[in-house]
Amino acid sequence: MSALPDPALSRAILAGVSCYSKLESLPAVANNLKDFAAVLMSPLSWELPAEHCTVVAEPGTSHDLLDPISRAADEAEDTLLVYFAGHGLLDGRGELFLGLPGSVQGRSHTGVPYQALREILMDSRAQRHVIILDCCMSGRALGMMSGQDVLADQAEIDGSYLLAASPENGVALAPPGATYTAFTGELLHLIRKGIPGPARELDLDIIYQHLKRELAAQSKPIPQRRARNTAGRIVLAINPAFDLATATRAHRTTDTPWPEPDNCHTPRAFIEALAKVRAMTGWTIPEVSQRAAQPVAPGTIGALLNRTTMPRSWKTTGIYLEACGVPKEQLDAWKATWQRLRTLEQAQPVTPNPASVPSRRRSWPTRLIKRKRDRR
């Protein structure tokens, strides 16, 4: 089951360096930070309050980078996301450190050893960690970054999900004049546009597969991932390109056609056809409720499917059928059948059920006869 983090109990730290004194600068990183923060605070993603999404731009010292992460690690109880964009460098022992504005290749004391960040995350109160590293192993010319395949292995943390842009040597990662780095640019595009198809939510595993496929198709660096436990199911965004009809087709196990509403000649037949629609999807009533484009409670759906008379209005029925994946072109036929049976039902005279008449009223003819006999 995918999990959307609780914005009140989650935190995000977005850090990056775009200007370097000893290495080539990466101007696109500044846009990465600003726009990724905007996405995380939007309804497309986690809807984090501004105070729960901290941007650390151009940290000059290790304290400038690590202190905000440490505070967020203490506060987060659900999910902690840490993002870094800039130069990823290797020290003399081949260990990863994150480049600060004054960093020098091979000298970890001029940057932030990844081990220091790792220790903070391991002591965090958060149940889950998401680490996104848009960096490399060595600095290259403007618009170029390089890396090695050991990035994800060094960064791996128990109970976490690492998404790392670790390109091959000599591949352009941030071309001159580009708005974003290649990796973050594709990530932001994915969240904003979505993936057409049956996924209602975009969890980290879905995002990784899409990034891998799209970046490879563009001959751009291919990202890596490392996941522990079920961290890949953490939802990063709602899919704006979700297609209900596709989702239904993917979910249904047979090609059995939907019930024909024209074949319903009684209210009971109509209600039974509605129930059959849900049964064909294989979804529970709560699942149908969650898939509805407009709010409809599971109890309302249950009441609809247990009626003995026609629904008084079309609204709930229409929402229900659409949530089950009935194609829009078929909804008109269902509505016409509802209207036809509803009209017939209203035109029929109401015949009281004798069993429903109070016993006092049923017995009055008997009492009247008895009185007449007494008078005689």
Side-chain angles (χ1 to χ4, degrees):
M1 191 72 178
S2 297
L4 184 66
D6 184 341
L9 302 177
S10 300
R11 300 291 187 274
I13 299 292
L14 310 180
V17 178
S18 62
C19 299
Y20 290 87
S21 59
K22 303 288 195 303
L23 304 169
E24 296 293 343
S25 294
L26 304 167
V29 168
N31 294 326
N32 288 2
L33 298 178
K34 175 174 61 70
D35 290 357
F36 193 16
V39 164
L40 288 173
M41 292 187 289
S42 76
L44 286 174
S45 185
W46 293 359
E47 291 192 86
L48 290 175
E51 62 271 21
H52 293 176
C53 185
T54 303
V55 173
V56 182
E58 316 301 327
T61 68
S62 59
H63 289 292
D64 293 337
L65 176 60
L66 296 177
D67 286 352
I69 296 175
S70 181
R71 285 193 295 271
D74 289 338
E75 296 171 356
E77 298 178 29
D78 185 333
T79 304
L80 172 64
L81 183 150
V82 177
Y83 167 92
F84 176 82
H87 282 300
L89 309 171
L90 295 176
D91 63 14
R93 295 173 298 176
E95 295 183 357
L96 172 68
F97 69 97
L98 308 179
L100 299 178
S103 288
V104 177
Q105 177 71 272
R107 301 180 181 178
S108 60
H109 67 277
T110 64
V112 178
Y114 186 82
Q115 180 61 25
L117 171 60
R118 185 176 186 273
E119 290 174 357
I120 291 175
L121 298 182
M122 290 180 69
D123 292 335
S124 170
R125 297 173 58 197
Q127 298 178 19
R128 301 170 297 181
H129 305 94
V130 179
I131 306 100
I132 302 177
L133 299 177
D134 190 350
C135 62
C136 60
M137 292 309 209
S138 62
R140 293 292 180 179
L142 177 64
M144 304 292 292
M145 296 201 289
S146 66
Q148 300 177 16
D149 290 341
V150 297
L151 176 60
D153 294 324
Q154 292 192 26
E156 190 174 22
I157 297 172
D158 287 343
S160 70
Y161 194 98
L162 170 71
L163 190 56
S166 181
E168 297 176 358
N169 292 330
V171 178
L173 183 62
T179 302
Y180 309 110
T181 59
F183 173 82
T184 299
E186 190 62 37
L187 174 62
L188 292 175
H189 177 78
L190 166 61
I191 294 175
R192 290 166 175 163
K193 301 298 183 181
I195 303 174
R200 182 181 288 272
E201 299 167 329
L202 302 176
D203 63 31
L204 292 172
D205 279 342
I206 292 175
I207 286 173
Y208 166 73
Q209 294 296 340
H210 178 85
L211 290 176
K212 182 179 179 181
R213 181 173 59 253
E214 291 300 315
L215 290 170
Q218 300 170 37
S219 298
K220 292 179 178 178
I222 299 174
Q224 298 181 44
R225 69 171 173 183
R226 290 292 186 273
R228 288 295 182 89
N229 302 323
T230 59
R233 299 176 185 175
I234 298 173
V235 174
L236 187 61
I238 304 302
N239 186 9
F242 166 71
D243 182 72
L244 183 60
T246 302
T248 302
R249 287 195 298 271
H251 189 85
R252 292 173 64 190
T253 57
T254 69
D255 294 327
T256 304
W258 296 109
E260 288 290 344
D262 292 342
N263 294 332
C264 299
H265 303 295
T266 65
R268 180 177 179 178
F270 185 82
I271 300 301
E272 288 178 350
L274 291 180
K276 184 177 180 181
V277 166
R278 185 195 64 78
M280 290 174 63
T281 69
W283 290 326
T284 65
I285 288 177
E287 286 175 331
V288 174
S289 173
Q290 292 176 355
R291 286 169 168 77
Q294 300 180 48
V296 57
T300 301
I301 295 176
L304 171 67
L305 301 181
N306 284 284
R307 294 183 64 91
T308 58
T309 59
M310 292 299 294
R312 294 184 179 181
S313 71
W314 166 253
K315 182 178 179 181
T316 298
T317 304
I319 295 173
Y320 163 79
L321 289 170
E322 191 170 0
C324 287
V326 173
K328 292 184 178 180
E329 58 269 20
Q330 295 183 22
L331 291 179
D332 288 342
W334 282 92
K335 188 173 183 179
T337 298
W338 166 81
Q339 184 63 63
R340 169 172 58 81
L341 294 176
R342 175 68 177 155
T343 301
L344 289 174
E345 189 178 62
Q346 290 177 315
Q348 292 177 353
V350 179
T351 303
N353 183 352
S356 65
V357 179
S359 59
R360 178 177 57 84
R361 297 182 59 186
R362 287 204 312 270
S363 63
W364 73 265
T366 304
R367 293 199 305 268
L368 182 59
I369 294 172
K370 185 176 184 299
R371 289 174 184 172
K372 291 182 178 180
R373 289 176 178 172
D374 291 342
R375 289 173 185 169
R376 294 176 186 172

